[in-house]
Amino acid sequence: MAKYRKKPVIIEAYQTDKEMDIETLEGVMHASVGDYIITGVNGEQYPCKPDIFEKIYEKVIE
C-alpha cells in the first residue's frame, strides 16, 4: 500500500467561547466551549477538539 503525507495548507481557525451548531459539508456538527472552528481551503467550516487540533496544526508566525 502506498503512503501519503498531507500537503502543508494554511487554515484560519479560532477557539470558540460558546456552544454552537455549525453547518458543515457533512451536516450540522456541535461545537463545545474551547473547540476550534476551522475554515477550510474552500471556505467550509467545521469544529475540532483542542487535543486533535494541537496534534495536527501549529501556529504560523508571519
Side-chain angles (χ1 to χ4, degrees):
M1 181 180 300
K3 294 184 180 185
Y4 295 87
R5 179 188 330 237
K6 280 187 176 182
K7 293 179 182 179
V9 175
I10 296 175
I11 54 100
E12 291 184 349
Y14 66 92
Q15 205 164 13
T16 185
D17 59 355
K18 62 183 178 181
E19 303 262 331
M20 59 193 329
D21 290 323
I22 298 172
E23 184 67 41
T24 72
L25 297 175
E26 290 82 30
V28 177
M29 295 182 76
H30 182 75
S32 301
V33 173
D35 286 356
Y36 283 87
I37 308 304
I38 298 170
T39 301
V41 295
N42 294 317
E44 73 281 9
Q45 289 193 313
Y46 52 95
C48 184
K49 295 294 180 193
D51 59 330
I52 303 300
F53 185 88
E54 291 165 8
K55 288 179 184 176
I56 297 173
Y57 300 101
E58 61 185 23
K59 192 169 190 175
V60 174
I61 307 298
E62 298 183 88

